[in-house]
Amino acid sequence: MSRHDIICLHTMVGTLAGTDSYFRQSGYGGTESHWGVGGDGRVFQWQDTDYVAEANLNGNHHVLSVETADIGPEFPRWDTADGTEVPAWTEAQMDSLAEIIARCCVEYDIPCVLIPDSLPGRRGVGYHRQGVRPYMVAGGELWSAANGKVCPGDRRIAQIPAVISKAQAIIGGNDMSAETERKIDEIHTELVKRLDSRVHHMGDPDNMYGHVVSVRNMLTDMHRQLCAVLDGMAGRPGPDRDTQWGHNMSTFARVKRMEAKLAEIKTTLAGLLPEEGRQK
């Protein structure tokens, strides 16, 4: 590939196993996408991201493609001749798509946002229909030789913002939402405020023990509050199946943020302790 600009979402009109068999018929010289996601969330990779896949016609040189199953035990029966009936992605598919998108956005510095069309220069997450006549905008890059393809279907297109939000959460620390960040910041601010209110004790050795005990109690209380906040983050991906990459990445992000806050607390405490009481 000459560039990595867009992650394009497709629907298979088939099963993961059937699409896998079809893509393997002609090897790497034939037709394939970079990835496929089954209804149960399983992920197959057919092409290395250094190489072109053939799912986006004129965009193949810079578009990463992801096929998604729409037939199988996870889906209701539907008329495959009617593109408006393509079923919605399962939750497992949405999770796997989010992980693929997050990984590609980080690896290739792709903005984790929905692109509005297939115009040259776009970078982000897109879907096949954006490059299909008659839906594509004037001047857009053609992603299919077939006219009228609704891929990946109305229901799935409507789910893309939610998938992107999941991917953004993985990149930014998974389920560490704005509300969670706010709670942790409030706890940190309150701790610093309490420590500042005790500055006058530090010059009096007789008050040292009481001050240290007070600080210890405050830190213990803060730890308890932080644990309560983090324990409330139920449902975040665990280290299983294909979620390992996203889980590791989000855990790393959370740890780095907590380390930064602890460093602030350490600096505050160091400024309050008298020279003779500091460790070197």
Side-chain angles (χ1 to χ4, degrees), residues 22-34:
Y22 173 66
F23 282 172
R24 291 177 183 275
Q25 286 179 3
S26 301
Y28 291 118
T31 300
E32 77 280 314
S33 286
H34 288 95

Side-chain angles (χ1 to χ4, degrees), residues 187-197 264-265 268:
I187 294 167
H188 172 253
T189 300
E190 180 61 24
L191 173 68
V192 173
K193 188 189 300 180
R194 291 185 196 177
L195 290 174
D196 286 344
S197 71
E264 288 183 47
I265 293 168
T268 301

Side-chain angles (χ1 to χ4, degrees), residues 43 62 67 259:
V43 176
H62 72 118
E67 291 284 352
E259 285 178 347

